[in-house]
Amino acid sequence: DPVFVEAARALAARTSGDFQQRLDQSFELCLGRKPGNDEREWLLAYWKSQPEAMAWTGLASVLLNLDEFITRE
């Protein structure tokens, strides 16, 4: 969906710093909390598997597609 791609790009552009800082910022913007250790490790592995130019957009897309982001409980 083009809207989700554009939202992921905007989220990726909104963060700055090293990996941990950017991940914490992205997680807090999407989910209102910091990632747990297991989540951080999984997302780091995902991030490393992506081409450098698309890594943050891809990671942002993952966060935007989490059930926790989409569903309010």
Side-chain angles (χ1 to χ4, degrees):
D1 184 354
V3 173
F4 268 97
V5 172
E6 195 57 39
R9 284 184 187 144
L11 177 59
R14 191 171 172 182
T15 62
S16 62
D18 65 15
F19 175 81
Q20 185 169 331
Q21 291 169 325
R22 289 186 77 174
L23 180 60
D24 287 351
Q25 289 172 11
S26 298
F27 228 84
E28 287 187 54
L29 287 168
C30 290
L31 306 177
R33 64 179 180 84
K34 291 189 180 193
N37 289 335
D38 291 344
E39 292 166 323
R40 188 179 308 279
E41 288 176 25
W42 185 87
L43 290 167
L44 176 59
Y46 173 83
W47 183 76
K48 286 181 176 180
S49 73
Q50 300 299 304
E52 189 174 340
M54 293 297 296
W56 280 107
T57 300
L59 193 138
S61 179
V62 167
L63 293 175
L64 293 173
N65 283 289
L66 289 174
D67 185 58
E68 188 175 345
F69 178 81
I70 297 169
T71 306
R72 183 177 179 144
E73 294 182 20

